[in-house]
Amino acid sequence: MGEFAALIHNENIKIYSRVRTWVMLVILGLMSALFPALIYFTSSSDPVGVWDNFQLTVTISFFLNTIFTVVIASDAVAGEFSWGTIKLLLIRPWSRSKILLSKYISMILFSLLSTAVLVAFGYASSLIFSGQDTSDVTNLMSWTPAEYSFMDLFCRYIELFLTAALAFMVSSVFRASGLAIGLSLFIMFTKIFCPDF
């Protein structure tokens, strides 16, 4: 078990040692923080409530979060083959299934971290740039605005998880990150523009 934990740690080092990973997290944090401010300064009527502001921020920023996670998932296996570093992993005393599982767990950990960044920056900015909460969400199934917002966040994360899993699978089978990213984005845009498809 300790060897498998070391393998996961090794995969996490590969992800977070790249500058692009930190650039993606910074962009996600900035966008999540700027959307409530943008809504506040461009709203001509009364200020939007905290939870309405937070939910709108999550709706917009989660699309970007999904794209970033798909990029990480697509590059997890295909990147190893394109750089030729997969040979260094395969000569180790680990089975291919353990190597793939460690990469998959590392991708899930990144998606959780990026979602936490989105939530933290989005909620903090919504608290700063919001008026009194007058949301009507409490009429829906007797949920409070906070419960409804976090249930919506959970459902969006499930969509992200499935999309990233598909990208990881395509990347593992075809060893092509471009195909994995393209197919995942196609599914995302199909869901947005053709919801009944």
Side-chain angles (χ1 to χ4, degrees):
M1 188 64 185
E3 292 181 356
F4 185 67
L7 190 58
I8 295 174
H9 178 68
N10 183 43
E11 294 301 326
N12 280 317
I13 289 175
K14 291 179 186 177
I15 292 174
Y16 297 108
S17 63
R18 296 181 178 180
V19 176
R20 74 169 184 190
T21 303
W22 296 104
V23 170
M24 287 190 287
L25 290 174
V26 167
I27 290 174
L28 191 61
L30 284 175
M31 285 192 67
S32 301
L34 289 177
F35 271 122
L38 183 65
I39 294 168
Y40 178 80
F41 289 114
T42 57
S43 178
S44 57
S45 58
D46 294 334
V48 181
V50 174
W51 291 110
D52 290 334
N53 211 344
F54 175 72
Q55 193 171 355
L56 186 58
T57 301
V58 166
T59 301
I60 297 170
S61 298
F62 225 87
F63 182 74
L64 190 64
N65 187 18
T66 304
I67 292 175
F68 289 162
T69 305
V70 162
V71 169
I72 295 295
S74 302
D75 195 52
V77 178
E80 296 273 7
F81 280 98
S82 62
W83 287 98
T85 54
I86 192 68
K87 297 174 184 177
L88 299 175
L89 279 176
L90 294 179
I91 62 174
R92 303 282 179 171
W94 297 309
S95 64
R96 294 186 182 194
S97 59
K98 283 187 177 181
I99 293 173
L100 287 176
L101 182 61
S102 67
K103 289 179 177 296
Y104 188 69
I105 291 173
S106 299
M107 180 269 295
I108 293 173
L109 292 175
F110 174 81
S111 69
L112 290 171
L113 175 64
S114 62
T115 302
V117 168
L118 185 154
V119 169
F121 281 87
Y123 182 68
S125 185
S126 295
L127 283 175
I128 296 170
F129 297 104
S130 297
Q132 293 294 324
D133 200 2
T134 57
S135 176
D136 294 330
V137 172
T138 50
N139 296 329
L140 297 173
M141 301 174 64
S142 301
W143 286 358
T144 65
E147 291 172 342
Y148 183 83
S149 295
F150 281 101
M151 181 55 71
D152 179 66
L153 179 69
F154 176 73
C155 292
R156 291 184 187 280
Y157 181 78
I158 294 298
E159 289 182 8
L160 178 150
F161 178 80
L162 294 175
T163 307
L166 176 68
F168 185 84
M169 180 194 70
V170 172
S171 172
S172 301
V173 173
F174 296 103
R175 303 174 186 176
S177 59
L179 177 63
I181 294 171
L183 183 61
S184 301
L185 292 181
F186 173 76
I187 292 173
M188 286 173 58
F189 283 115
T190 302
K191 183 180 70 70
I192 291 172
F193 295 112
C194 305
D196 297 327
F197 181 69

